[in-house]
Amino acid sequence: MDKFNQTFVREFILLGLSGYPKLEVIFFVLILVMYLVILIGNGVLIMASIFDSRLHTPMYFFLGNLSFLDICYTSSSVPSTLVSLISKKRNISFSGCAVQMFLGFAMGSTECLLLGMMAFDRYVAICNPLRYSIIMSKLVYVLMASVSWLSGGSNSIVQTVLAMQLPFCGKNIINHFTCEILAVLKLACADISLNIITMVVSNMAFLVLPLLVIFFSYTFILYTILRMNSAKGRRKAFSTCSAHLTVVIIFYGTIFFMYAKPKSQDVLGEDRLQALDKLLSLFYGVVTPMLNPIIYSLRNKDVKAAVKYLLNHKPT
């Protein structure tokens, strides 16, 4: 019983930018503005994809899912981050930390799969246009999106359960803005080999495999575009892919930069390196979802037309 009491943690403390008090107000304003842009931008995209019949296609169905995912992902962490920055309330309950970890991991896993699905959709549209309506029927693309959500949620359940059942021996200070799984695992006072193995398998399935689908899809797309005789056709094909490809580069580029570089192992040392880790995580968690609707709106004529119609439309 004494051993259980020593290893049970009722709450965690999120350090965030506590070592940089002068920056907290600045980051509160920046994060708040970006969060509002995320809610408005992605909300408008979702409404446009629902109410504009011109956007009732597989690509915009996936885009609507991506926008909804970005809203869910940021809403699972940004409000608590804003509260901690302005009120200095940095504690989060054990169950709250588990929920935040689950939502973050689920949304990240699902987004990887959705980006892969969107690349496959572009491949079929450009390389097999005559069979596009048959291959990408409504049943097929709804099933593809459903599999993405269910797979991401299932993967997150496994990772969250394995992480939160570990003993923490009274250590409850997380050197991060949120309950990020790697930061939580550093607090465990038990063997985390199983956690590492399952995360490696998860990364192969949800990061590497979708990236391979994206790579080969765009390899075939590029080959097909270069064989087109019409310059106008090539420009149109490039324009339909450029927004998605830009989002993929930002999304995967940030992830690989975050986790490929060396990590600081000492919670109290390497302050500057740890601050960089937190800011990179912030970029991945807030800036990327904010850029998605902007990129798709600026680089896609159909989306721009639908958004303009939605904003200018007045009910009679």
Side-chain angles (χ1 to χ4, degrees):
M1 188 68 180
D2 291 338
K3 182 179 179 181
F4 176 82
N5 289 334
Q6 291 173 359
T7 60
F8 184 74
V9 172
R10 295 182 181 275
E11 65 178 13
F12 292 99
I13 298 174
L14 302 170
L15 289 185
L17 287 174
S18 57
Y20 303 87
K22 294 182 180 180
L23 294 177
E24 289 187 328
V25 176
I26 297 175
F27 275 95
F28 172 82
V29 175
L30 288 176
I31 294 173
L32 177 60
V33 171
M34 288 188 289
Y35 183 53
L36 293 176
V37 172
I38 290 169
L39 295 179
I40 296 171
N42 286 289
V44 169
L45 273 182
I46 292 172
M47 293 177 66
S49 65
I50 292 174
F51 294 110
D52 194 317
S53 58
R54 293 170 296 180
L55 301 187
H56 291 174
T57 63
M59 182 175 74
Y60 298 113
F61 176 77
F62 288 128
L63 179 57
N65 275 262
L66 190 64
S67 295
F68 178 70
L69 183 147
D70 284 338
I71 291 176
C72 293
Y73 179 75
T74 52
S75 297
S76 69
S77 58
V78 170
S80 62
T81 300
L82 291 173
V83 170
S84 68
L85 287 173
I86 199 66
S87 69
K88 313 302 180 184
K89 182 179 180 296
R90 308 187 189 278
N91 60 306
I92 182 172
S93 66
F94 187 88
S95 58
C97 185
V99 170
Q100 194 176 81
M101 184 187 298
F102 166 77
L103 291 174
F105 216 95
M107 298 302 107
S109 302
T110 304
E111 183 161 1
C112 291
L113 295 180
L114 283 176
L115 290 175
M117 301 292 186
M118 295 173 75
F120 177 75
D121 171 72
R122 292 297 84 206
Y123 158 74
V124 178
I126 294 174
C127 299
N128 296 281
L130 298 179
R131 301 181 59 197
Y132 179 72
S133 60
I134 299 174
I135 296 174
M136 295 299 296
S137 64
K138 185 174 182 179
L139 176 63
V140 171
Y141 67 74
V142 169
L143 183 62
M144 290 168 67
S146 300
V147 169
S148 299
W149 283 96
L150 290 174
S151 299
S154 300
N155 176 50
S156 185
I157 289 174
V158 173
Q159 302 299 334
T160 303
V161 170
L162 288 177
M164 302 311 285
Q165 71 178 1
L166 292 169
F168 294 99
C169 301
K171 298 179 181 179
N172 69 337
I173 299 177
I174 300 176
N175 194 19
H176 211 279
F177 284 106
T178 64
C179 286
E180 197 260 348
I181 190 167
L182 293 179
V184 173
L185 289 179
K186 287 181 180 180
L187 303 181
C189 55
D191 184 20
I192 59 172
S193 299
L194 179 60
N195 301 79
I196 299 301
I197 293 172
T198 56
M199 287 190 67
V200 169
V201 174
S202 171
N203 288 339
M204 291 296 293
F206 291 90
L207 280 175
V208 178
L209 288 182
L211 187 59
L212 289 175
V213 171
I214 294 169
F215 173 78
F216 284 112
S217 294
Y218 277 102
T219 299
F220 287 117
I221 288 172
L222 182 61
Y223 176 73
T224 302
I225 291 175
L226 293 177
R227 293 181 61 194
M228 292 180 178
N229 296 323
S230 169
K232 183 179 180 181
R234 286 196 295 269
R235 285 196 300 270
K236 183 178 180 181
F238 273 123
S239 67
T240 61
C241 298
S242 59
H244 175 256
L245 194 56
T246 302
V247 169
V248 168
I249 292 172
I250 294 174
F251 179 80
Y252 275 96
T254 306
I255 289 179
F256 286 133
F257 190 76
M258 280 172 57
Y259 295 110
K261 67 185 185 61
K263 294 284 183 179
S264 173
Q265 299 298 322
D266 184 5
V267 174
L268 299 178
E270 303 289 343
D271 289 341
R272 291 183 179 179
L273 182 60
Q274 291 178 356
L276 179 61
D277 288 344
K278 296 173 187 176
L279 293 178
L280 284 172
S281 177
L282 180 66
F283 182 90
Y284 168 74
V286 180
V287 179
T288 303
M290 181 190 69
L291 291 178
N292 286 350
I294 296 174
I295 292 170
Y296 277 104
S297 298
L298 292 177
R299 303 185 68 88
N300 191 295
K301 293 181 180 179
D302 292 336
V303 173
K304 285 194 289 186
V307 171
K308 287 180 180 178
Y309 173 79
L310 187 66
L311 295 177
N312 295 329
H313 181 66
K314 296 181 180 179
T316 58

